[in-house]
Amino acid sequence: MQLFYTPDIEPAHPQYFLSEEESKHAIRVLRLEVGSEVQLIDGRGGFYTAVIQDAHPKRTILQITSVTESYNKRNHYLHLAVAPTKNIERLEWFLEKATEIGIDEVSLVISQRSERKEAKVDRLNKIITAAIKQSIKAYHPVLNEPVKLPELLARPFDGQRFIAHCEPGDKLNLRGELLPHGRYLILIGPEGDFTPAEIESALQNGFKPITLGESRLRTETAALEACFEVNFLNRI
């Protein structure tokens, strides 16, 4: 399957022009020709089958032959708010793997102990795009610009809210708390964890404390574990 990401495609239009970058990849790298069948995803749930009409390396013309809306739409909505890691490659790894497993939205949250205060969202979005093509997903996760924790805590969210942290105290297990096929927002802190004051503020804003197991996990590992658990618990 030759899959291309085409966010500007319109289902009602029978033709589509691949971007110069995608055209070059299709014709120069993949050696596709007139009559070759390809698949397209728009990041909004649309999955398309098309045939090459003009194999031009800068402006390949496609004829759309079929459209599937809401392709493999997930039965829940997962929003992870994750502190950017000091080593940006670890954050990139998390975004790639979480996209492949299944995630809908990611916020990069800056807390008091965050060692990284910024991130290049454009580059990170390219990693997400490559991951949806790899895993054949028609929905492109939303990646939000970095936001300070107090601002994120104050934002409304229509769903269950959780915070994973390493401070002592009673914590819940997602298996027993997660309402099936719901909407979830989960907070994952930086390498030094959230401060006690930040945890208390999250609790006051309706977040429930959760455990992700007995091991002390890196930020990106904890975020991926939360992503996996939510997806696993929503399989039925």
Side-chain angles (χ1 to χ4, degrees):
M1 177 185 294
Q2 305 299 345
L3 188 65
F4 298 90
Y5 178 50
T6 54
D8 59 342
I9 195 171
E10 295 295 338
H13 294 173
Q15 275 191 340
Y16 180 76
F17 295 83
L18 278 181
S19 67
E20 183 172 346
E21 180 181 359
E22 291 282 43
S23 293
K24 181 179 179 181
H25 182 68
I27 307 308
R28 298 295 192 207
V29 179
L30 299 177
R31 304 291 184 182
L32 299 179
E33 301 174 342
V34 171
S36 296
E37 185 177 87
V38 298
Q39 281 70 42
L40 318 171
I41 49 176
D42 61 12
R44 307 182 303 273
F47 182 88
Y48 305 72
T49 298
V51 174
I52 295 179
Q53 282 190 324
D54 183 1
H56 194 288
K58 290 188 176 181
R59 192 173 172 79
T60 297
I61 302 176
L62 304 177
Q63 179 70 32
I64 309 300
T65 59
S66 69
V67 182
T68 301
E69 299 288 352
S70 302
Y71 179 78
N72 285 346
K73 185 175 182 179
R74 288 147 50 74
N75 62 10
H76 61 283
Y77 189 94
L78 174 58
H79 179 180
L80 277 178
V82 184
T85 52
K86 181 178 180 181
N87 182 343
I88 195 64
E89 292 181 356
R90 294 189 179 277
L91 177 62
E92 294 172 353
W93 175 86
F94 157 72
L95 289 172
E96 177 185 73
K97 302 310 175 188
T99 299
E100 292 177 6
I101 292 172
I103 195 168
D104 301 283
E105 186 174 356
V106 177
S107 289
L108 304 177
V109 60
I110 308 302
S111 65
Q112 291 184 30
R113 293 173 177 168
S114 293
E115 295 190 62
R116 176 177 290 276
K117 307 292 186 180
E118 57 184 22
K120 295 181 179 178
V121 173
D122 288 345
R123 170 175 168 75
L124 297 177
N125 260 318
K126 290 181 180 179
I127 291 171
I128 292 174
T129 299
I132 66 169
K133 293 166 69 175
Q134 165 66 33
S135 52
I136 316 178
K137 286 182 165 49
Y139 291 91
H140 195 293
V142 175
L143 178 63
N144 298 316
E145 293 283 348
V147 58
K148 292 183 178 179
L149 180 61
E151 182 181 341
L152 185 135
L153 294 179
R155 290 178 179 175
F157 180 77
D158 182 21
Q160 292 183 281
R161 291 177 286 184
F162 302 99
I163 178 171
H165 64 81
C166 298
E167 289 291 315
D170 293 335
K171 298 174 187 176
L172 305 169
N173 192 307
L174 282 176
R175 180 181 293 275
E177 289 297 316
L178 216 64
L179 297 177
H181 308 166
R183 293 171 56 85
Y184 322 107
L185 170 57
I186 301 179
L187 281 173
I188 305 292
E191 283 89 340
D193 200 7
F194 294 115
T195 66
E198 289 175 328
I199 296 170
E200 180 60 29
S201 180
L203 299 182
Q204 292 177 358
N205 279 276
F207 285 78
K208 295 181 179 180
I210 58 170
T211 177
L212 297 174
E214 299 300 322
S215 301
R216 185 173 66 180
L217 305 176
R218 292 180 182 270
T219 294
E220 71 280 5
T221 310
L224 193 64
E225 171 66 18
C227 179
F228 170 78
E229 285 194 25
V230 169
N231 276 273
F232 180 78
L233 292 173
N234 278 283
R235 282 186 178 178
I236 57 173

